[in-house]
Amino acid sequence: MERHFTLGEFIIENQKDFPYAKGELSALLSSIKLAGKLVNQQINKAGLAEILGKIGKQNVQGEAQAKLDVIANDIFIDTFRNRGEVCGLGSEELEDVVIFDDEIHREAKYIILIDPLDGSSNIDVDITVGTIFSIYRRISEVGSPVTPEDFLQPGRNQVAAGYIIYGTSTILVYTSGNGVNGFTFDPGIGSFFLSHPNIKFPKKGNTYSINEGNYVHFPDGIKKYLKWVQELDEEEKRPFTSRYTGSLVADFHRNMLLGGIYLYPQGTTAPQGKLRLLYESNPMAFLTEQAGGKATNGSERILDIIPEELHQRIPFICGNKDMVEKAESFLSQF
């Protein structure tokens, strides 16, 4: 039986594709996979360790924090604090960024943005959750204090992005601008092994992922699109299938592997959209494009949007290119 590449072996083998100094991507992803293993361990024992449920506080987004939100956030911060590659970290769970300015971070060149536990409202009912990460090279001079501009970069500046999905198996999926690859965690060995090489959206998709409970609040273009996907058309194999879990990582992962579109538009309950540009939309858009799909806010490429603030929200549509363009065509009518 052919042995699969480990994540570390794969990175070394493909280091030439990373446009910066050798070893940096390996070290960055090593930190992420270590933190992911620790988060995975906490999730797997959550019921027994009494770390399910809410903590009675809200994060900066005004959302109720789950206990595991806080635990995952602390794990990632501590992991990067103990390593020297990152000079600053932004988290969906924190109002301000975390600056690493001690000696081991003095020559650090990278910024990382994370959603430590996406879909955490599903934790108590044992539905798939995930971690989303996005890596940038700092703009400010190495050795100088980190600046807000280091964090507020357009998504096209990402040097790597990905997610860890904690489901029936734990899978780390990432891109550094040369395709998308997935690595499944083997808990017996303690390593991630290449299991999903060169992931691409299928040519055709027939699944749509959207919270239809918010239908009354959607823009007219989205309402028209939803009526279209639900119409009977045997030639185009409609109606499409609806699949929505409330976990972006879970819905995105399924759609990328099987074909589909994910939509979270603006509405009166979320006038600017709900998903965060820096922590969710940019990394998922980078992955989408690298897998042959398209990501937009309905009219503009996600990766071209200039961030205005750390926790900026935007409408988000991503998936099979033809499905996204069809949704855009309906939006352009209004």
Side-chain angles (χ1 to χ4, degrees):
M1 181 180 296
E2 182 181 356
R3 187 178 73 83
H4 292 286
F5 276 109
T6 66
L7 175 58
E9 290 170 337
F10 182 87
I11 294 168
I12 292 170
E13 183 76 15
N14 294 274
Q15 192 72 251
K16 64 183 185 303
D17 295 329
F18 192 58
Y20 306 109
K22 289 185 177 181
E24 292 179 346
L25 180 61
S26 179
L28 285 163
L29 288 175
S30 176
S31 297
I32 291 168
K33 73 179 182 181
L34 172 60
K37 290 178 188 179
L38 296 172
V39 172
N40 181 64
Q41 184 182 52
Q42 293 295 322
I43 290 171
N44 287 340
K45 68 178 185 181
L48 298 174
E50 297 183 356
I51 53 177
L52 295 175
K54 309 297 182 184
I55 63 171
K57 296 181 181 179
Q58 293 183 333
N59 63 11
V60 65
Q61 318 293 338
E63 300 162 340
Q65 279 188 308
K67 295 175 184 177
L68 276 167
D69 277 323
V70 177
I71 291 171
N73 190 59
D74 289 346
I75 285 173
F76 275 92
I77 291 173
D78 290 344
T79 300
F80 284 108
R81 193 188 304 279
N82 292 326
R83 304 219 175 177
E85 301 84 30
V86 173
C87 55
L89 176 148
S91 169
E92 183 184 305
E93 298 300 322
L94 301 175
E95 184 173 0
D96 296 316
V97 299
V98 178
I99 305 299
F100 302 126
D101 55 5
D102 46 315
E103 187 61 33
I104 67 169
H105 299 277
R106 193 168 302 279
E107 299 300 315
K109 304 182 182 78
Y110 295 93
I111 296 292
I112 187 160
L113 299 165
I114 60 168
D115 180 352
L117 203 63
D118 170 72
S120 57
S121 61
N122 285 324
I123 276 285
D124 291 0
V125 292
D126 210 23
I127 293 176
T128 298
V129 294
T131 294
I132 306 172
F133 61 89
S134 178
I135 300 170
Y136 296 80
R137 278 179 69 89
R138 64 184 296 177
I139 296 174
S140 58
E141 185 178 349
V142 174
S144 66
V146 178
T147 67
E149 289 71 29
D150 290 320
F151 294 91
L152 299 178
Q153 298 186 52
R156 61 176 179 263
N157 288 0
Q158 292 172 100
V159 297
Y163 57 83
I164 306 172
I165 184 167
Y166 311 104
T168 52
S169 57
T170 298
I171 303 175
L172 188 155
V173 177
Y174 89 95
T175 181
S176 59
N178 290 279
V180 179
N181 293 279
F183 301 80
T184 299
F185 182 60
D186 183 335
I189 298 175
S191 296
F192 285 90
F193 290 90
L194 180 63
S195 54
H196 297 73
N198 193 29
I199 302 171
K200 295 290 184 184
F201 279 91
K203 289 184 178 180
K204 291 290 183 181
N206 66 351
T207 298
Y208 67 99
S209 303
I210 189 171
N211 184 355
E212 293 184 81
N214 289 327
Y215 180 87
V216 67
H217 302 299
F218 291 155
D220 288 337
I222 295 294
K223 290 179 179 178
K224 293 289 187 183
Y225 176 71
L226 290 178
K227 292 301 183 186
W228 179 82
V229 302
Q230 293 165 358
E231 288 174 354
L232 180 62
D233 187 320
E234 292 184 2
E235 185 177 342
E236 294 192 5
K237 297 183 178 179
R238 286 185 282 130
F240 292 161
T241 300
S242 175
R243 291 286 184 270
Y244 183 79
T245 66
S247 172
L248 170 60
V249 169
D251 291 328
F252 178 89
H253 187 71
R254 181 191 55 246
N255 288 346
M256 183 168 63
L257 295 181
L258 302 180
I261 183 173
Y262 178 94
L263 310 97
Y264 210 118
Q266 71 270 42
T268 56
T269 59
Q272 306 302 319
K274 185 178 180 183
L275 297 186
R276 271 61 53 151
L277 173 61
L278 293 178
Y279 305 113
E280 296 162 316
S281 300
N282 271 342
M284 291 312 205
F286 191 18
L287 288 161
T288 298
E289 291 194 3
Q290 285 295 310
K294 185 173 184 178
T296 174
N297 66 359
S299 60
E300 185 179 2
R301 181 186 182 223
I302 294 295
L303 297 182
D304 286 337
I305 298 174
I306 307 298
E308 297 175 359
E309 58 181 350
L310 276 174
H311 298 284
Q312 180 178 343
R313 297 176 188 257
I314 62 166
F316 185 62
I317 303 171
C318 75
N320 282 66
K321 187 175 181 180
D322 62 333
M323 298 181 78
V324 172
E325 290 177 346
K326 188 68 175 181
E328 286 181 311
S329 73
F330 280 97
L331 283 165
S332 68
Q333 297 172 17
F334 296 91

